Amino acid sequence: MEELEHTCPHPRTTLIEPAIFARETSCDCRAPHEKLTIEQARRGTPVDRPVRVYADGIFDLFHSGHARALMQAKNLFPNTYLLVGVCSDELTHKYKGFTVMTEQERYEALRHCRYVDEVLRDAPWTLTPKFLDKHKIDFVAHDDIPYSSAGSEDVYKHIKEAGMFVPTQRTEGISTSDIITRIVRDYDVYARRNLQRGYTAKELNVSYINEKKYRLQNQVDRMKEKVRTVEEKSKHFVCRVEEKSHDLIQKWEEKSREFIGNFLELFGPDGTWKQVLQERSGRMLSYALSPRESPCNSPPRELSPLRSPSPPSPPARWHNARPSPPTSPKGATSMSSMSEGDED
């Protein structure tokens, strides 16, 4: 803080306190105020002798273009004290036109700009030598475009001729006139906006018919917004259904491939079912060709290895009349001859 007190005649903390208002009396700078050239100011001045730069304007609807111009003015020299003059409503309405902000609002806007050290209220439209001497102004900062007003082609012409003018650069694409043009161009939009926010038609200077029209348009816009919201939700739902359908189709395809593969593995040319049928048909064939087992009540008999099993035993009357057939071939021959004799 001590270093800050030595560097500027009106010490203040930029982020806590706004800039001061200029006094009606002359500058109270204690250092001798000698005339400076631009070269001397650029080389640097003593701490107690800052270069006093003056910038003036209307500063209506204070915007970034204003702030950048003041930043350039503040950084023209190593040790700069920036004074900003703001013209009153009376002068502005007389020479330039109606303003959106009042003079008090414009004063306060400048006070809270970080580059401003002091604000001069009710600044003159044309700078006079008396005004420059009163505030001990070394240089005047403004853009180099001739400013024609109050019957003069350039109100800064005499300042330029005196070697006290330092030019700054305008910021393209932003100005108070541009902002007002946007508002006028989209008047209906902003009127509807403020009606929706609670302003009355009287405050907005809107007729009864236009008020009803704007309110109807606001209702239509709200309905459109609801429809748009429903459409977005529907799209989201459809997307989810499509994702689920895609997953289901993919799973169905996988299950179908698995089912077809299992079917071919079971019933295909080399499938398991064919092998099972072959095994079963082989077992049935072997069962058909194999001898039948004797009844449980009949006594076991020894079979000849060269003969197939004998037919079932005849009824009991034949069983008592004739003996069992012999097992040898010779017995078989005699058995066949006996059978022929019986038939005869």
Side-chain angles (χ1 to χ4, degrees):
M1 289 295 296
E2 294 179 358
E3 183 180 358
L4 184 63
E5 291 177 0
H6 290 295
T7 56
C8 65
H10 301 284
R12 67 185 178 92
T13 304
T14 306
L15 299 179
I16 298 177
E17 300 176 1
I20 62 173
F21 285 122
R23 300 177 184 177
E24 295 297 329
T25 59
S26 60
C27 176
D28 58 353
C29 183
R30 299 183 182 86
H33 194 79
E34 299 178 355
K35 186 67 176 178
L36 294 175
T37 64
I38 294 181
E39 288 75 15
Q40 290 174 337
R42 287 176 177 172
R43 284 197 301 266
T45 57
V47 175
D48 58 348
R49 173 58 174 95
V51 181
R52 295 174 67 83
V53 177
Y54 177 80
D56 62 353
I58 309 302
F59 301 105
D60 192 20
L61 298 176
F62 189 82
H63 51 75
S64 61
H66 295 142
R68 288 176 65 85
L70 298 176
M71 179 187 68
Q72 295 177 57
K74 178 68 174 177
N75 292 279
L76 286 172
F77 309 109
N79 184 17
T80 301
Y81 185 80
L82 181 61
L83 300 92
V84 179
V86 183
C87 299
S88 64
D89 288 345
E90 183 181 357
L91 283 177
T92 305
H93 298 168
K94 180 180 179 180
Y95 293 110
K96 190 169 184 178
F98 192 75
T99 58
V100 178
M101 300 171 66
T102 64
E103 59 184 31
Q104 294 299 328
E105 292 170 341
R106 292 184 284 118
Y107 296 156
E108 288 298 323
L110 266 297
R111 288 187 69 198
H112 292 83
C113 178
R114 61 183 297 183
Y115 309 112
V116 178
D117 296 303
E118 188 174 331
V119 176
L120 277 70
R121 293 170 289 188
D122 194 11
W125 197 261
T126 303
L127 302 179
T128 61
K130 181 180 178 181
F131 177 83
L132 297 176
D133 292 338
K134 175 183 177 180
H135 295 282
K136 295 183 179 181
I137 296 171
D138 295 309
F139 300 99
V140 177
H142 199 273
D143 61 81
D144 203 13
I145 301 173
Y147 194 87
S148 60
S149 180
S152 174
E153 295 181 357
D154 189 2
V155 295
Y156 298 104
K157 183 178 179 181
H158 63 288
I159 304 295
K160 295 176 181 178
E161 292 174 351
M164 298 176 63
F165 186 84
V166 183
T168 58
Q169 298 295 323
R170 291 178 63 89
T171 302
E172 297 296 333
I174 183 68
S175 69
T176 302
S177 299
D178 291 340
I179 296 174
I180 294 175
T181 301
R182 297 178 202 171
I183 296 173
V184 172
R185 181 187 59 199
D186 300 326
Y187 170 77
D188 290 349
V189 175
Y190 294 114
R192 289 166 52 192
R193 169 185 178 272
N194 283 7
L195 280 174
Q196 193 173 4
R197 295 196 173 196
Y199 287 87
T200 63
K202 185 177 180 180
E203 291 174 329
L204 297 173
N205 195 22
V206 174
S207 65
Y208 177 81
I209 296 176
N210 285 335
E211 178 191 3
K212 297 303 179 184
K213 182 183 72 173
Y214 294 150
R215 293 191 185 280
L216 178 61
Q217 289 175 345
N218 287 335
Q219 292 179 0
V220 171
D221 289 344
R222 284 194 293 268
M223 290 298 297
K224 288 181 179 179
E225 186 65 26
K226 289 181 180 180
V227 171
R228 191 179 300 111
T229 303
V230 172
E231 287 179 352
E232 291 177 357
K233 291 182 179 180
S234 301
K235 289 179 181 179
H236 181 66
F237 177 75
V238 170
C239 291
R240 291 183 59 186
V241 170
E242 289 180 352
E243 292 177 358
K244 293 291 184 181
S245 302
H246 180 72
D247 295 339
L248 290 174
I249 292 173
Q250 188 175 3
K251 290 180 180 179
W252 183 83
E253 290 178 350
E254 293 176 358
K255 292 295 182 181
S256 299
R257 294 191 190 98
E258 183 179 356
F259 176 78
I260 293 171
N262 294 336
F263 183 84
L264 293 176
E265 183 179 356
L266 186 62
F267 298 103
D270 299 326
T272 307
W273 187 251
K274 183 178 180 181
Q275 297 177 1
V276 171
L277 290 176
Q278 290 178 352
E279 292 178 358
R280 287 187 178 182
S281 60
R283 285 198 299 268
M284 291 176 64
L285 183 61
S286 60
Y287 178 76
L289 298 177
S290 62
R292 297 180 181 178
E293 295 182 358
S294 302
C296 296
N297 297 329
S298 61
R301 294 178 298 177
E302 293 181 0
L303 300 179
S304 173
L306 299 179
R307 287 193 59 183
S308 59
S310 59
S313 58
R317 58 182 182 181
W318 292 101
H319 181 73
N320 295 329
R322 53 181 184 182
S324 301
T327 58
S328 62
K330 184 177 179 180
T333 305
S334 60
M335 182 62 185
S336 60
S337 61
M338 288 177 62
S339 300
E340 293 175 357
D342 290 339
E343 290 176 0
D344 293 337

mmCIF file of all heavy atoms in Angstrom, residues 178-202:
data_model
loop_
_atom_site.group_PDB
_atom_site.id
_atom_site.type_symbol
_atom_site.label_atom_id
_atom_site.label_comp_id
_atom_site.label_asym_id
_atom_site.label_seq_id
_atom_site.Cartn_x
_atom_site.Cartn_y
_atom_site.Cartn_z
ATOM 1 N N ASP A 178 -24.418 0.089 -32.603
ATOM 2 C CA ASP A 178 -24.672 -1.296 -33.016
ATOM 3 C C ASP A 178 -25.629 -1.998 -32.054
ATOM 4 O O ASP A 178 -26.531 -2.743 -32.481
ATOM 5 C CB ASP A 178 -23.361 -2.067 -33.096
ATOM 6 C CG ASP A 178 -22.482 -1.587 -34.241
ATOM 7 O OD1 ASP A 178 -23.024 -0.959 -35.170
ATOM 8 O OD2 ASP A 178 -21.260 -1.825 -34.185
ATOM 9 N N ILE A 179 -25.437 -1.787 -30.749
ATOM 10 C CA ILE A 179 -26.312 -2.433 -29.765
ATOM 11 C C ILE A 179 -27.744 -1.938 -29.902
ATOM 12 O O ILE A 179 -28.699 -2.731 -29.876
ATOM 13 C CB ILE A 179 -25.766 -2.176 -28.345
ATOM 14 C CG1 ILE A 179 -24.393 -2.846 -28.171
ATOM 15 C CG2 ILE A 179 -26.734 -2.708 -27.294
ATOM 16 C CD1 ILE A 179 -23.712 -2.522 -26.864
ATOM 17 N N ILE A 180 -27.905 -0.624 -30.074
ATOM 18 C CA ILE A 180 -29.254 -0.076 -30.236
ATOM 19 C C ILE A 180 -29.884 -0.598 -31.524
ATOM 20 O O ILE A 180 -31.095 -0.885 -31.575
ATOM 21 C CB ILE A 180 -29.206 1.463 -30.219
ATOM 22 C CG1 ILE A 180 -28.766 1.950 -28.835
ATOM 23 C CG2 ILE A 180 -30.565 2.056 -30.579
ATOM 24 C CD1 ILE A 180 -28.570 3.446 -28.734
ATOM 25 N N THR A 181 -29.092 -0.740 -32.580
ATOM 26 C CA THR A 181 -29.618 -1.275 -33.840
ATOM 27 C C THR A 181 -30.131 -2.696 -33.666
ATOM 28 O O THR A 181 -31.184 -3.058 -34.210
ATOM 29 C CB THR A 181 -28.527 -1.233 -34.917
ATOM 30 O OG1 THR A 181 -28.098 0.118 -35.096
ATOM 31 C CG2 THR A 181 -29.040 -1.775 -36.237
ATOM 32 N N ARG A 182 -29.422 -3.492 -32.910
ATOM 33 C CA ARG A 182 -29.890 -4.864 -32.656
ATOM 34 C C ARG A 182 -31.225 -4.858 -31.918
ATOM 35 O O ARG A 182 -32.132 -5.651 -32.228
ATOM 36 C CB ARG A 182 -28.857 -5.615 -31.815
ATOM 37 C CG ARG A 182 -27.504 -5.811 -32.468
ATOM 38 C CD ARG A 182 -26.579 -6.517 -31.494
ATOM 39 N NE ARG A 182 -25.177 -6.307 -31.813
ATOM 40 C CZ ARG A 182 -24.175 -6.677 -31.012
ATOM 41 N NH1 ARG A 182 -24.436 -7.254 -29.860
ATOM 42 N NH2 ARG A 182 -22.919 -6.446 -31.369
ATOM 43 N N ILE A 183 -31.340 -3.977 -30.933
ATOM 44 C CA ILE A 183 -32.586 -3.933 -30.161
ATOM 45 C C ILE A 183 -33.752 -3.483 -31.037
ATOM 46 O O ILE A 183 -34.851 -4.060 -30.979
ATOM 47 C CB ILE A 183 -32.417 -2.994 -28.955
ATOM 48 C CG1 ILE A 183 -31.345 -3.542 -28.001
ATOM 49 C CG2 ILE A 183 -33.732 -2.830 -28.208
ATOM 50 C CD1 ILE A 183 -30.985 -2.604 -26.867
ATOM 51 N N VAL A 184 -33.518 -2.453 -31.857
ATOM 52 C CA VAL A 184 -34.589 -1.959 -32.731
ATOM 53 C C VAL A 184 -34.963 -3.012 -33.765
ATOM 54 O O VAL A 184 -36.142 -3.218 -34.074
ATOM 55 C CB VAL A 184 -34.158 -0.641 -33.404
ATOM 56 C CG1 VAL A 184 -35.169 -0.213 -34.449
ATOM 57 C CG2 VAL A 184 -33.975 0.454 -32.359
ATOM 58 N N ARG A 185 -33.970 -3.695 -34.302
ATOM 59 C CA ARG A 185 -34.227 -4.710 -35.329
ATOM 60 C C ARG A 185 -35.071 -5.850 -34.774
ATOM 61 O O ARG A 185 -35.981 -6.350 -35.431
ATOM 62 C CB ARG A 185 -32.899 -5.233 -35.863
ATOM 63 C CG ARG A 185 -33.013 -6.291 -36.954
ATOM 64 C CD ARG A 185 -31.642 -6.841 -37.262
ATOM 65 N NE ARG A 185 -31.032 -7.437 -36.092
ATOM 66 C CZ ARG A 185 -29.720 -7.663 -35.966
ATOM 67 N NH1 ARG A 185 -28.887 -7.318 -36.934
ATOM 68 N NH2 ARG A 185 -29.240 -8.215 -34.868
ATOM 69 N N ASP A 186 -34.777 -6.267 -33.554
ATOM 70 C CA ASP A 186 -35.501 -7.378 -32.925
ATOM 71 C C ASP A 186 -36.440 -6.859 -31.843
ATOM 72 O O ASP A 186 -36.561 -7.458 -30.766
ATOM 73 C CB ASP A 186 -34.504 -8.379 -32.335
ATOM 74 C CG ASP A 186 -33.587 -8.961 -33.391
ATOM 75 O OD1 ASP A 186 -34.037 -9.135 -34.530
ATOM 76 O OD2 ASP A 186 -32.416 -9.231 -33.073
ATOM 77 N N TYR A 187 -37.110 -5.755 -32.141
ATOM 78 C CA TYR A 187 -37.966 -5.115 -31.132
ATOM 79 C C TYR A 187 -39.045 -6.063 -30.627
ATOM 80 O O TYR A 187 -39.294 -6.162 -29.417
ATOM 81 C CB TYR A 187 -38.605 -3.851 -31.730
ATOM 82 C CG TYR A 187 -39.690 -3.256 -30.868
ATOM 83 C CD1 TYR A 187 -39.371 -2.524 -29.746
ATOM 84 C CD2 TYR A 187 -41.037 -3.465 -31.185
ATOM 85 C CE1 TYR A 187 -40.365 -1.989 -28.946
ATOM 86 C CE2 TYR A 187 -42.031 -2.929 -30.387
ATOM 87 C CZ TYR A 187 -41.691 -2.187 -29.271
ATOM 88 O OH TYR A 187 -42.668 -1.664 -28.478
ATOM 89 N N ASP A 188 -39.717 -6.768 -31.526
ATOM 90 C CA ASP A 188 -40.794 -7.667 -31.121
ATOM 91 C C ASP A 188 -40.301 -8.745 -30.161
ATOM 92 O O ASP A 188 -40.982 -9.096 -29.192
ATOM 93 C CB ASP A 188 -41.435 -8.317 -32.349
ATOM 94 C CG ASP A 188 -42.235 -7.321 -33.171
ATOM 95 O OD1 ASP A 188 -42.452 -6.197 -32.672
ATOM 96 O OD2 ASP A 188 -42.625 -7.653 -34.301
ATOM 97 N N VAL A 189 -39.115 -9.256 -30.441
ATOM 98 C CA VAL A 189 -38.565 -10.318 -29.592
ATOM 99 C C VAL A 189 -38.335 -9.801 -28.173
ATOM 100 O O VAL A 189 -38.705 -10.448 -27.176
ATOM 101 C CB VAL A 189 -37.247 -10.842 -30.194
ATOM 102 C CG1 VAL A 189 -36.603 -11.857 -29.259
ATOM 103 C CG2 VAL A 189 -37.499 -11.461 -31.555
ATOM 104 N N TYR A 190 -37.739 -8.618 -28.055
ATOM 105 C CA TYR A 190 -37.442 -8.080 -26.726
ATOM 106 C C TYR A 190 -38.712 -7.609 -26.018
ATOM 107 O O TYR A 190 -38.809 -7.690 -24.783
ATOM 108 C CB TYR A 190 -36.437 -6.942 -26.841
ATOM 109 C CG TYR A 190 -35.082 -7.412 -27.332
ATOM 110 C CD1 TYR A 190 -34.593 -7.008 -28.559
ATOM 111 C CD2 TYR A 190 -34.316 -8.280 -26.565
ATOM 112 C CE1 TYR A 190 -33.359 -7.452 -29.015
ATOM 113 C CE2 TYR A 190 -33.079 -8.724 -27.005
ATOM 114 C CZ TYR A 190 -32.610 -8.310 -28.238
ATOM 115 O OH TYR A 190 -31.399 -8.760 -28.689
ATOM 116 N N ALA A 191 -39.705 -7.093 -26.791
ATOM 117 C CA ALA A 191 -40.977 -6.711 -26.177
ATOM 118 C C ALA A 191 -41.684 -7.938 -25.598
ATOM 119 O O ALA A 191 -42.184 -7.916 -24.464
ATOM 120 C CB ALA A 191 -41.862 -6.019 -27.203
ATOM 121 N N ARG A 192 -41.715 -9.023 -26.344
ATOM 122 C CA ARG A 192 -42.311 -10.266 -25.847
ATOM 123 C C ARG A 192 -41.545 -10.792 -24.644
ATOM 124 O O ARG A 192 -42.141 -11.294 -23.681
ATOM 125 C CB ARG A 192 -42.337 -11.298 -26.964
ATOM 126 C CG ARG A 192 -43.335 -10.994 -28.069
ATOM 127 C CD ARG A 192 -43.075 -11.863 -29.283
ATOM 128 N NE ARG A 192 -43.007 -13.267 -28.924
ATOM 129 C CZ ARG A 192 -42.573 -14.215 -29.744
ATOM 130 N NH1 ARG A 192 -42.175 -13.906 -30.966
ATOM 131 N NH2 ARG A 192 -42.547 -15.470 -29.361
ATOM 132 N N ARG A 193 -40.224 -10.682 -24.708
ATOM 133 C CA ARG A 193 -39.377 -11.143 -23.599
ATOM 134 C C ARG A 193 -39.721 -10.404 -22.311
ATOM 135 O O ARG A 193 -39.873 -11.022 -21.246
ATOM 136 C CB ARG A 193 -37.907 -10.924 -23.978
ATOM 137 C CG ARG A 193 -36.909 -11.116 -22.846
ATOM 138 C CD ARG A 193 -35.512 -10.759 -23.336
ATOM 139 N NE ARG A 193 -34.519 -10.871 -22.291
ATOM 140 C CZ ARG A 193 -34.207 -9.886 -21.459
ATOM 141 N NH1 ARG A 193 -34.827 -8.716 -21.550
ATOM 142 N NH2 ARG A 193 -33.275 -10.056 -20.529
ATOM 143 N N ASN A 194 -39.832 -9.073 -22.376
ATOM 144 C CA ASN A 194 -40.110 -8.309 -21.170
ATOM 145 C C ASN A 194 -41.548 -8.468 -20.704
ATOM 146 O O ASN A 194 -41.823 -8.412 -19.496
ATOM 147 C CB ASN A 194 -39.794 -6.831 -21.413
ATOM 148 C CG ASN A 194 -38.288 -6.564 -21.379
ATOM 149 O OD1 ASN A 194 -37.505 -7.498 -21.304
ATOM 150 N ND2 ASN A 194 -37.913 -5.307 -21.427
ATOM 151 N N LEU A 195 -42.483 -8.649 -21.622
ATOM 152 C CA LEU A 195 -43.845 -8.955 -21.213
ATOM 153 C C LEU A 195 -43.902 -10.263 -20.447
ATOM 154 O O LEU A 195 -44.612 -10.400 -19.445
ATOM 155 C CB LEU A 195 -44.765 -9.027 -22.439
ATOM 156 C CG LEU A 195 -45.262 -7.705 -23.030
ATOM 157 C CD1 LEU A 195 -46.029 -7.955 -24.307
ATOM 158 C CD2 LEU A 195 -46.138 -6.954 -22.022
ATOM 159 N N GLN A 196 -43.148 -11.219 -20.925
ATOM 160 C CA GLN A 196 -43.107 -12.523 -20.265
ATOM 161 C C GLN A 196 -42.454 -12.432 -18.893
ATOM 162 O O GLN A 196 -42.757 -13.224 -17.999
ATOM 163 C CB GLN A 196 -42.350 -13.520 -21.153
ATOM 164 C CG GLN A 196 -42.513 -14.968 -20.737
ATOM 165 C CD GLN A 196 -41.892 -15.898 -21.755
ATOM 166 O OE1 GLN A 196 -41.292 -15.465 -22.723
ATOM 167 N NE2 GLN A 196 -42.043 -17.186 -21.541
ATOM 168 N N ARG A 197 -41.573 -11.452 -18.704
ATOM 169 C CA ARG A 197 -40.883 -11.292 -17.428
ATOM 170 C C ARG A 197 -41.625 -10.394 -16.451
ATOM 171 O O ARG A 197 -41.101 -10.085 -15.388
ATOM 172 C CB ARG A 197 -39.480 -10.734 -17.661
ATOM 173 C CG ARG A 197 -38.598 -11.697 -18.420
ATOM 174 C CD ARG A 197 -37.158 -11.332 -18.324
ATOM 175 N NE ARG A 197 -36.304 -12.345 -18.914
ATOM 176 C CZ ARG A 197 -35.003 -12.428 -18.707
ATOM 177 N NH1 ARG A 197 -34.407 -11.558 -17.930
ATOM 178 N NH2 ARG A 197 -34.293 -13.365 -19.279
ATOM 179 N N GLY A 198 -42.822 -9.943 -16.819
ATOM 180 C CA GLY A 198 -43.645 -9.219 -15.863
ATOM 181 C C GLY A 198 -43.814 -7.746 -16.118
ATOM 182 O O GLY A 198 -44.542 -7.071 -15.376
ATOM 183 N N TYR A 199 -43.166 -7.202 -17.136
ATOM 184 C CA TYR A 199 -43.350 -5.785 -17.452
ATOM 185 C C TYR A 199 -44.731 -5.579 -18.076
ATOM 186 O O TYR A 199 -45.243 -6.441 -18.800
ATOM 187 C CB TYR A 199 -42.272 -5.295 -18.411
ATOM 188 C CG TYR A 199 -40.908 -5.145 -17.778
ATOM 189 C CD1 TYR A 199 -40.033 -6.224 -17.725
ATOM 190 C CD2 TYR A 199 -40.505 -3.946 -17.220
ATOM 191 C CE1 TYR A 199 -38.786 -6.110 -17.129
ATOM 192 C CE2 TYR A 199 -39.255 -3.817 -16.633
ATOM 193 C CZ TYR A 199 -38.397 -4.905 -16.584
ATOM 194 O OH TYR A 199 -37.165 -4.783 -15.989
ATOM 195 N N THR A 200 -45.317 -4.418 -17.799
ATOM 196 C CA THR A 200 -46.645 -4.112 -18.343
ATOM 197 C C THR A 200 -46.515 -3.494 -19.729
ATOM 198 O O THR A 200 -45.451 -3.004 -20.122
ATOM 199 C CB THR A 200 -47.378 -3.145 -17.414
ATOM 200 O OG1 THR A 200 -46.660 -1.900 -17.352
ATOM 201 C CG2 THR A 200 -47.509 -3.727 -16.015
ATOM 202 N N ALA A 201 -47.623 -3.531 -20.449
ATOM 203 C CA ALA A 201 -47.631 -2.929 -21.785
ATOM 204 C C ALA A 201 -47.409 -1.421 -21.708
ATOM 205 O O ALA A 201 -46.788 -0.831 -22.591
ATOM 206 C CB ALA A 201 -48.958 -3.237 -22.468
ATOM 207 N N LYS A 202 -47.863 -0.800 -20.631
ATOM 208 C CA LYS A 202 -47.654 0.628 -20.461
ATOM 209 C C LYS A 202 -46.181 0.958 -20.277
ATOM 210 O O LYS A 202 -45.667 1.931 -20.838
ATOM 211 C CB LYS A 202 -48.469 1.128 -19.269
ATOM 212 C CG LYS A 202 -48.414 2.628 -19.073
ATOM 213 C CD LYS A 202 -49.300 3.059 -17.907
ATOM 214 C CE LYS A 202 -49.225 4.578 -17.720
ATOM 215 N NZ LYS A 202 -50.082 5.012 -16.576
#
